[in-house]
Structures are given as C-alpha cells and as structure tokens.
Amino acid sequence: MPTELDIIHEDRSLLVINKQSGLLSVPGRGPGKQDCVVSRAKKRYPDLPTQPAVHRLDMMTSGLMLLARTEQAHRHLVRQFQYRLVLKHYIGVVEGKLQESSGTIELTFRLDPDNRPHQVYDPVNGKRGITLWKTIAVESSTTRIEFTPLTGRTHQLRLHASHPLGLDSPIVGDYLYGSGKDGDRMLLHSCLLSFIHPETSRPTTFTAKAPF
C-alpha cells in the first residue's frame, strides 16, 4: 500500500499536505477505504491525535489539507473553520465558456439519502452554501475559475458549478454532477489556505499550484 504524502509544511502544531487526487482525506467504511491522508500521516507521525484532520477534501479534489499535531491545535483550528475565519481558494476548470466574469452563488442543498453521496438542491430543507467566483481564463471549450467558498458544505463547489441556478457548468471530470466518468481526474484543486496559527497567533498562508 502506498504511504507517501506531499508534505509542504510541518511544525509542532500542524501539518500542511498537498493531497493528490483520488486519495481519501479520512478513512472510509470497509477495509478497502483505509488508505487516506490521515492513515498515511499517522504512519509517519505516530503521535498524531486520534482525529487529526481539521477539514476534508473530496477524494477527487487535490490540494491543501490541514492536519493538527496536538489536541489543542485541533480545537483552535476547528473553531476557525466553524466561524468561517479560514480563507480558502480553489482553482477549477468547468465545462463550456462562461459569459459573466465573476459573481456570488448562494444555494441551499442537502444529501440525497437514496443516492449517497449525491447532494440535491432543496430550498426548504437544505443548508445554505455560499461561493464567490471569478473567471481566470476562457479556453477553447472550458473556463478556468477561482472559487472562494464562504461556507464548507459537502460537494459545495461541485454543486454550485453544475446546478442551473449556479454556473450551470460542471467541473471537468466530475462524474457525480457532470459528464465525467468514474475514475476521471476532476479538475478542482485547493490552492490557498490562510488561517491564524494556533501557536504563534499570526496569520499564516500556504499555497499550492494547480497541477492542471
């Protein structure tokens, strides 16, 4: 089983991982879903907390992921995510050419229990997700977008990109909400994380260039 991780920063309080596409963030159910960022990190750092992940990325999303190395750091960082104090930027490539250059998407959605893990738009029972977006480049049949999620709902960027009330342009390679096939490389990458360091109390920013 592979054990390598692209660790771009480590200190006494935290690890910053550049997660590859196709790797789970945390263990799933069953023996075939135990290989993930957390399990690989624990092999390298056996003293990690039981639950070191501060947040998660979808399996097919690549990019920056934050792990805490102490329980105190974990509590500090989780609170920042809960109170929306963490700045996150993603680079995504969506199908088609967008006419507008920027905007805000605000949609309520929830899990479809009959089609897990698919999320569905539900203006009555859904939870609100808010995303800022701007066009970086228009290519021959796609558009490169910078997404800034203000909330952290499951599949938020994927649903906001694909839904007719959002961009109506699915992320390239997205097999749940677009025309991609299972196993395709989804073109979505967490490229920036900015937060308050739990030990120094200083603003701290990490970046990782999109590999596409």
Side-chain angles (χ1 to χ4, degrees):
M1 179 183 294
T3 59
E4 68 279 357
L5 281 176
D6 183 6
I7 300 171
I8 66 172
H9 174 81
E10 62 175 292
D11 59 40
R12 294 184 301 179
S13 297
L14 55 88
L15 300 171
V16 182
I17 311 295
N18 186 12
K19 187 183 85 67
Q20 66 192 60
S21 176
L23 179 65
L24 289 168
S25 293
V26 299
R29 294 182 179 179
K33 295 185 177 180
Q34 297 307 298
D35 182 30
C36 62
V37 170
V38 166
S39 64
R40 294 186 185 190
K42 284 185 173 182
K43 289 179 181 178
R44 182 163 177 172
Y45 305 91
D47 60 342
L48 286 180
T50 303
Q51 303 291 345
V54 177
H55 65 123
R56 302 179 185 185
L57 296 177
D58 287 348
M59 183 175 69
M60 301 311 296
T61 301
S62 60
L64 296 171
M65 183 176 164
L66 191 56
L67 302 184
R69 296 192 69 177
T70 68
E71 296 287 357
Q72 182 179 2
H74 188 272
R75 289 191 295 270
H76 192 288
L77 293 167
V78 165
R79 281 197 297 270
Q80 292 187 56
F81 276 89
Q82 288 176 338
Y83 290 102
R84 303 179 186 177
L85 302 177
V86 179
L87 177 64
K88 298 171 285 184
H89 289 330
Y90 290 73
I91 296 296
V93 178
V94 301
E95 300 175 7
K97 298 182 178 182
L98 298 186
Q99 301 302 312
E100 298 180 13
S101 60
S102 64
T104 302
I105 303 167
E106 186 170 341
L107 295 175
T108 55
F109 51 98
R110 60 167 175 80
L111 175 68
D112 180 358
D114 297 323
N115 189 23
R116 294 174 181 268
H118 200 276
Q119 306 287 314
V120 293
Y121 173 64
D122 186 339
V124 176
N125 298 310
K127 293 183 178 180
R128 184 176 64 162
I130 306 171
T131 302
L132 309 180
W133 67 274
K134 64 180 180 181
T135 296
I136 297 174
V138 178
E139 297 156 3
S140 59
S141 59
T142 59
T143 305
R144 185 172 291 261
I145 300 291
E146 180 185 87
F147 293 104
T148 304
L150 303 186
T151 52
R153 306 299 181 201
T154 300
H155 294 178
Q156 177 173 318
L157 300 182
R158 299 168 69 178
L159 187 139
H160 280 183
S162 63
H163 199 277
L165 296 177
L167 296 182
D168 198 19
S169 298
I171 295 170
V172 172
D174 190 341
Y175 67 91
L176 278 180
Y177 302 97
S179 59
K181 297 179 177 61
D182 191 3
D184 282 357
R185 170 63 159 102
M186 186 173 69
L187 301 189
L188 183 63
H189 178 81
S190 170
C191 63
L192 181 146
L193 274 179
S194 186
F195 54 92
I196 302 300
H197 195 284
E199 185 174 352
T200 67
S201 298
R202 294 178 178 174
T204 305
T205 300
F206 296 96
T207 60
K209 186 178 180 181
F212 49 79

